[in-house]
Amino acid sequence: MNLLDINYMLELVPILLRYLPLTLGMAAAGMVLALMLSAGLAVIRVLRIPGLNAATMLFISFFRGTPLLVQLFLFYYGLPQVMSFLTTIDGITATIMGLTLHFSAYMAESIRAAIVGVDRSQTEAALSIGMTNGQLMRRIVLPQATRVAVPTLMNYFIDMIKATSLAFTLGVTELMGATQKEASGSFMYFESFVVVACIYWAIVELLAWFQRRLENRFNEAYRR
């Protein structure tokens, strides 16, 4: 008896790849939204805006302290019971919401640390020549903080792609959901999950290569 049905695995690859755009699309949408939200949260934490700072800390604590799967179920199954306008939400939207809120809580702390890590003498010099806090953030702090935060943010994007595999629990037929259906129909669970694991692995390795190139690009200006 062969350990693996290679022919079945090769035939499965193009079938699963048809669902890859949805997986990457959910991750990309979640990343863009999470970046915008986390940047705002980080600025609030750095400036310690009264009222908003406490709410931000509570938000970060909740979404870092509870599992992503629980959050997805809360958005898709729980909230529509108390907010009727959410009854029309579909699994894809709920997944993007979950990814956005969950990862923005982690990314906000990474961005905050990068902002705080900018040399204080530069911020004092900028303020001494009349820059506002907004100009200081846009022109001095955020460009430098971006270089520091990029590696960590790329890691979060990689984690986000892998986290989209939870979307099948909401009935979304993405990469993992399609694999589950194919495995259930053929009863070749081992081969099916080996194939999908290799696809995820290939995506992660490609992004890791891109991350190294991006880091080198950002670091060029600091090399002597």
Side-chain angles (χ1 to χ4, degrees):
M1 181 178 178
N2 294 330
L3 179 61
L4 293 174
D5 188 333
I6 301 299
N7 289 331
Y8 172 76
M9 295 173 70
L10 292 175
E11 292 172 357
L12 186 59
V13 171
I15 295 175
L16 296 184
L17 288 179
R18 292 203 297 264
Y19 298 91
L20 184 57
L22 177 57
T23 293
L24 296 179
M26 289 191 296
M31 187 65 183
V32 170
L33 295 173
L35 272 175
M36 293 189 292
L37 178 57
S38 61
L41 296 174
V43 170
I44 291 171
R45 293 278 286 117
V46 170
L47 299 180
R48 298 183 178 277
I49 300 175
L52 290 179
N53 187 47
T56 297
M57 292 176 65
L58 179 62
F59 173 92
I60 292 173
S61 176
F62 176 80
F63 283 100
R64 291 182 61 167
T66 55
L68 176 57
L69 183 59
V70 172
Q71 295 165 18
L72 291 177
F73 278 29
L74 179 63
F75 295 139
Y76 190 62
Y77 297 111
L79 286 181
Q81 291 188 339
V82 295
M83 299 179 183
S84 58
F85 66 91
L86 291 177
T87 55
T88 58
I89 191 173
D90 58 17
I92 294 175
T93 303
T95 299
I96 294 173
M97 285 175 54
L99 294 174
T100 298
L101 298 178
H102 181 83
F103 282 94
S104 66
Y106 288 91
M107 291 162 59
E109 288 298 283
S110 297
I111 295 173
R112 182 186 68 83
I115 291 174
V116 172
V118 174
D119 191 344
R120 186 171 180 81
S121 63
Q122 296 188 43
T123 62
E124 291 174 348
L127 292 174
S128 69
I129 62 174
M131 278 193 180
T132 64
N133 284 329
Q135 291 173 326
L136 171 64
M137 280 291 175
R138 290 196 309 273
R139 298 179 182 180
I140 306 296
V141 176
L142 290 181
Q144 295 185 66
T146 299
R147 170 180 165 269
V148 177
V150 159
T152 303
L153 296 179
M154 280 297 298
N155 287 333
Y156 283 133
F157 182 53
I158 290 172
D159 287 341
M160 194 176 291
I161 289 175
K162 292 184 286 187
T164 59
S165 61
L166 295 175
F168 88 97
T169 62
L170 305 185
V172 179
T173 307
E174 40 65 70
L175 192 55
M176 187 61 188
T179 303
Q180 180 68 27
K181 289 184 178 181
E182 292 294 329
S184 299
S186 64
F187 296 102
M188 293 186 179
Y189 291 95
F190 185 68
E191 286 89 343
S192 299
F193 292 124
V194 166
V195 170
V196 77
C198 289
I199 292 175
Y200 279 116
W201 186 17
I203 295 170
V204 169
E205 286 301 307
L206 180 61
L207 288 173
W209 171 83
F210 177 73
Q211 177 182 344
R212 290 191 294 270
R213 293 289 301 272
L214 195 59
E215 288 180 40
N216 290 334
R217 182 72 176 272
F218 276 117
N219 291 331
E220 281 179 0
Y222 294 84
R223 291 173 182 160
R224 295 291 184 268

